[in-house]
């Protein structure tokens, strides 16, 4: 084996998972950001975590209102998911700009993309500084699933998003 760095390891580990972090903006609308660095933490109690760059607008919103929904997007919105991963919601309405169809969940004021295989409704428990990212540790409130939607994965690092053929 040859010595490599961690960014290179994240390319070698492709396909990597793809989620959409859905947060509520100050005007009540939803912001969507693409995130690969997430994990299940605990089933009892149900907990998950994800890491986002310190500069992300999504991070600012979740630190403010403690609410977030993580979704596994469906294959129909692969291009939109890539776009949500290269634009900040700080001054752009990504849902309008990329024309993403949305749906609401019961008892949740954050909307999620219509094409979602899984939605994990969370409350932020705490966040920890981890180098150039914050790690957001969340308590899971509700989970929804639709097995008819095919999950997306990031290939070649994070440059291409597609489903896996079975
Ligand atoms: C496939 C893919 C995976 C990504 N994974 C992450 C991630 O795990 N953490 C992160 O901070 N940014 C990740 N990004 C980049 C963010 O989505 C990007 O910085 C986005 O503009 C943040 O939006 P926001 O400022 O509206 O929060 C990823 C982008 C793509 C395309």
């Amino acid at each position: 084996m040859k010595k490599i760095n961690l960014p290179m390891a994240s390319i070698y580990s492709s396909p990597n998972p793809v989620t959409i972090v859905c947060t509520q903006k100050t005007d009540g609308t939803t912001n969507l950001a693409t995130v690969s660095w997430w994990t299940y933490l605990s089933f009892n109690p149900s907990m998950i975590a994800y890491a986002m760059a310190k500069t992300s607008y999504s991070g600012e919103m979740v630190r403010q209102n403690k609410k977030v929904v993580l979704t596994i997007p469906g294959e129909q919105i692969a291009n939109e998911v890539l776009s949500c991963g290269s634009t900040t919601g700080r001054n752009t309405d990504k849902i309008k700009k990329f024309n993403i169809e949305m749906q609401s969940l019961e008892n949740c004021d954050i909307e999620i993309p219509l094409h979602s295989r899984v939605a994990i409704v969370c409350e932020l428990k705490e966040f920890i500084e981890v180098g150039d990212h914050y790690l957001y540790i969340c308590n899971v409130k509700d989970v929804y699933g639709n097995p008819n939607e095919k999950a997306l994965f990031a290939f070649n690092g994070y440059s291409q998003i597609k489903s896996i053929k079975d």
Side-chain angles (χ1 to χ4, degrees):
M1 289 184 99
K2 65 176 183 185
K3 199 165 179 186
I4 57 170
N5 58 20
L6 206 52
M8 189 55 75
S10 80
I11 293 173
Y12 284 15
S13 69
S14 291
N16 291 312
V18 170
T19 69
I20 295 282
V21 165
C22 312
T23 51
Q24 193 176 40
K25 298 207 234 186
T26 46
D27 65 0
T29 62
T30 297
N31 185 49
L32 306 176
T34 311
V35 162
S36 267
W37 295 5
W38 86 284
T39 183
Y40 298 102
L41 287 180
S42 163
F43 282 161
N44 187 21
S46 296
M47 295 177 72
I48 59 128
Y50 65 93
M52 282 199 89
K54 285 178 175 168
T55 49
S56 77
Y57 182 61
S58 305
E60 206 178 305
M61 292 303 100
V62 76
R63 292 195 302 277
Q64 230 170 69
N65 59 36
K66 318 277 182 225
K67 294 183 289 192
V68 61
V69 184
L70 238 80
T71 66
I72 307 293
E75 69 176 341
Q76 286 92 334
I77 56 168
N79 293 336
E80 292 82 347
V81 171
L82 199 53
S83 301
C84 286
S86 55
T87 318
T88 178
R90 199 172 294 282
N91 37 34
T92 303
D93 182 341
K94 299 190 209 183
I95 295 166
K96 251 199 202 135
K97 184 167 183 193
F98 307 126
N99 204 12
I100 301 170
E101 279 184 277
M102 302 293 286
Q103 62 177 316
S104 10
L105 299 171
E106 226 174 283
N107 301 321
C108 179
D109 41 19
I110 300 173
E111 293 200 320
I112 66 161
L114 178 66
H115 293 293
S116 298
R117 181 173 166 90
V118 174
I120 307 173
V121 182
C122 302
E123 248 166 32
L124 179 66
K125 180 172 184 280
E126 58 185 301
F127 66 97
I128 298 169
E129 188 176 2
V130 283
D132 49 12
H133 283 53
Y134 287 124
L135 178 68
Y136 297 95
I137 298 175
C138 303
N139 290 318
V140 174
K141 283 176 59 193
D142 291 303
V143 187
Y144 299 88
N146 177 0
N148 297 323
E149 296 280 354
K150 263 192 126 196
L152 288 168
F153 294 87
F155 287 78
N156 192 18
Y158 304 103
S159 61
Q160 208 191 358
I161 295 183
K162 54 185 186 181
S163 61
I164 289 176
K165 302 281 168 251
D166 48 19

